[in-house]
């Protein structure tokens, strides 16, 4: 049996965590031969609810769970962790402006970044799920100067999975028939689900759909799917978000099998994107790392969409720039597009 890996989850009593913890404990993240130690973080008022989650985890008697601890501070919760899912975030309240939301989350994620810097494994991989995820990841990473900025990512795998699933459903295909979908930019309505390199059953996706449907229906449907789910069921998309977080981290750690997936990672200026923002790119994961796909052809239509979401991320960074420590250098591992 392998040595246990330590996995931290913040917001651990919340709806997304309630799903993801049982998936991790069952081996869906790292495999059926990898024991885990769960280090669960919550704010003090939620600790009672978190204790209830722990009781259920214990009652499942998962063979892979080598230990569970609960914490109400990141210094203890991130001690020696190998993987961190940052799920808890301040939600937008009534009358709260977006800039105010960014600043409130800056307080949370700056503290978590400092704690990861000081107490986590030097190889820790961090996935920010709590919204606004891209800029929260930027805040956390900038507050961890002793760690590589590339160790901090944000989740656009949910958008990627949505883009795959919605396209497959539209064409009466299986999700496994869909390849090379790309999500560019921010996890927000400005994101750009790009089908220009996508294929369905090895044929170009855009040759199989109506262009008007793609531009006027598909793109906004993917981008606003979260709001549509809240409107339909009166609650957020917790289960699909948990699955996407598992997919993101599993591929990052174990490899994507040569397939292109979408991850929000620190930009080095590739594709004309502002340096330093956390931007969703097409990546291939292998050997515990990710490589941004270079050489993807970009049409004028795509360029405009990519610039729009880039501008939003730059504006978000500007809203909290006075709260950010100095930037450290980002170095990408790049891979050429197979058809370039």
């Amino acid at each position: 049996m392998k040595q246990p890996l330590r996995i931290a989850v913040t917001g651990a009593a919340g709806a997304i965590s309630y799903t993801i913890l049982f998936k991790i404990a069952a081996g869906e993240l790292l495999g059926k031969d990898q024991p885990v130690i769960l280090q669960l973080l919550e704010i003090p008022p939620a600790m009672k609810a978190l204790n209830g989650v722990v009781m259920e985890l214990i009652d499942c008697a998962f063979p892979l769970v080598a230990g569970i601890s609960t914490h109400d501070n990141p210094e203890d919760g991130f001690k020696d962790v190998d993987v961190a899912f940052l799920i808890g975030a301040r939600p937008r309240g009534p009358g709260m402006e977006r800039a105010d939301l960014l600043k409130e989350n800056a307080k949370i994620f700056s503290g978590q970044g400092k704690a990861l810097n000081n107490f986590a494994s030097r190889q820790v991989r961090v996935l920010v799920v709590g919204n606004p995820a891209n800029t929260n990841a930027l805040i956390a990473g900038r507050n961890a100067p002793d760690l590589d900025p590339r160790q901090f990512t944000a989740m656009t795998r949910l958008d990627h999975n949505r883009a795959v699933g919605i396209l497959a459903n539209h064409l009466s295909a299986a999700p496994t028939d869909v390849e090379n979908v790309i999500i560019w930019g921010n996890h927000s309505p400005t994101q750009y689900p790009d089908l220009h390199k996508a294929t369905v059953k090895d044929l170009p996706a855009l040759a199989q759909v109506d262009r008007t449907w793609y531009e006027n229906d598909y793109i906004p449907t993917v981008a606003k799917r979260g709001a549509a789910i809240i409107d339909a069921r009166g609650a957020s998309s917790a289960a699909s978000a948990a699955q996407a977080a598992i997919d993101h981290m599993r591929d990052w750690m174990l490899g994507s099998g040569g397939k292109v997936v979408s991850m929000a990672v620190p930009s080095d200026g590739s594709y004309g994107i502002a340096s330093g923002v956390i931007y969703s790119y097409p990546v291939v994961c292998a050997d515990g790392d990710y490589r941004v796909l270079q050489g993807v052809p970009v049409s004028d239509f795509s360029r405009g969409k990519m610039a729009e979401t880039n501008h939003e991320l730059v504006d978000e960074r500007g809203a909290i720039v006075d709260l950010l420590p100095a930037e450290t250098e980002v170095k990408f591992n790049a891979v050429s597009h197979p058809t370039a």
Side-chain angles (χ1 to χ4, degrees):
M1 187 68 79
K2 299 178 180 177
Q3 287 296 310
L5 290 180
R6 294 181 177 271
I7 301 178
V9 178
T10 74
I16 295 174
S17 299
Y18 189 78
T19 299
I20 200 173
L21 287 170
F22 294 89
K23 289 178 174 288
I24 295 170
E28 289 188 33
L29 176 63
L30 299 173
K32 301 294 185 179
D33 61 345
Q34 178 58 65
V36 295
I37 296 172
L38 301 175
Q39 299 179 198
L40 311 182
L41 290 85
E42 260 298 356
I43 57 176
M47 292 302 289
K48 181 179 179 181
L50 179 56
N51 288 336
V53 175
V54 172
M55 290 182 215
E56 286 205 80
L57 286 166
I58 291 171
D59 292 352
C60 287
F62 287 112
L64 295 176
V65 177
I68 306 173
S69 61
T70 61
H71 310 273
D72 62 7
N73 68 86
E75 292 78 14
D76 293 334
F78 291 147
K79 178 69 174 174
D80 297 327
V81 296
D82 302 290
V83 175
F85 291 92
L86 306 188
I87 297 174
R90 171 70 184 270
R92 191 168 184 169
M96 181 181 286
E97 298 293 334
R98 187 169 181 83
D100 296 328
L101 176 66
L102 288 165
K103 289 178 179 179
E104 287 300 314
N105 275 294
K107 299 174 186 176
I108 297 170
F109 286 87
S110 61
Q112 292 181 352
K114 291 172 184 175
L116 287 162
N117 185 75
N118 294 333
F119 298 103
S121 162
R122 297 303 83 184
Q123 289 75 45
V124 65
R125 293 172 179 82
V126 182
L127 171 59
V128 176
V129 176
N131 286 319
N134 295 54
T135 298
N136 287 342
L138 173 66
I139 294 163
R142 289 278 285 270
N143 279 277
D146 298 329
L147 299 174
D148 189 327
R150 298 178 73 259
Q151 292 173 248
F152 290 81
T153 64
M155 190 173 79
T156 51
R157 185 58 175 269
L158 176 55
D159 309 301
H160 181 100
N161 288 352
R162 287 167 170 165
V164 169
I166 291 169
L167 178 62
N169 185 66
H170 181 72
L171 293 176
S172 299
T176 51
D177 294 328
V178 180
E179 294 186 350
N180 295 327
V181 167
I182 298 170
I183 302 295
W184 300 98
N186 200 3
H187 176 61
S188 80
T190 68
Q191 66 175 262
Y192 172 42
D194 183 3
L195 296 184
H196 283 82
K197 294 303 297 181
T199 60
V200 181
K201 298 181 180 179
D202 298 323
L203 298 174
L206 287 180
Q208 302 179 58
V209 301
D210 180 77
R211 183 75 190 195
T212 300
W213 175 84
Y214 170 58
E215 294 184 9
N216 299 334
D217 191 347
Y218 177 78
I219 291 175
T221 295
V222 173
K224 299 176 182 179
R225 188 67 155 192
I229 290 171
I230 291 173
D231 182 63
R233 66 183 295 264
S236 64
S237 47
S240 54
Q243 184 61 55
I246 291 286
D247 293 342
H248 174 120
M249 190 63 74
R250 183 183 60 239
D251 283 352
W252 189 2
M253 297 189 73
L254 304 182
S256 62
K259 293 186 178 297
V260 175
V261 294
S262 301
M263 290 173 59
V265 302
S267 168
D268 69 345
S270 292
Y271 296 98
I273 302 308
S275 178
V277 298
I278 306 296
Y279 192 93
S280 183
Y281 284 101
V283 306
V284 175
C285 300
D287 302 320
D289 200 2
Y290 63 82
R291 300 171 294 167
V292 170
L293 207 61
Q294 300 292 341
V296 176
V298 176
S299 67
D300 290 341
F301 176 83
S302 295
R303 179 67 62 195
K305 292 290 187 180
M306 292 163 65
E308 179 184 358
T309 192
N310 176 53
H311 292 155
E312 181 180 56
L313 285 167
V314 171
D315 287 345
E316 288 186 8
R317 181 175 60 184
I320 45 88
V321 68
D322 56 323
L323 303 175
L324 292 175
E327 188 172 7
T328 52
E329 185 179 2
V330 176
K331 295 181 179 179
F332 267 169
N333 288 332
V335 60
S336 297
H337 193 278
T339 60

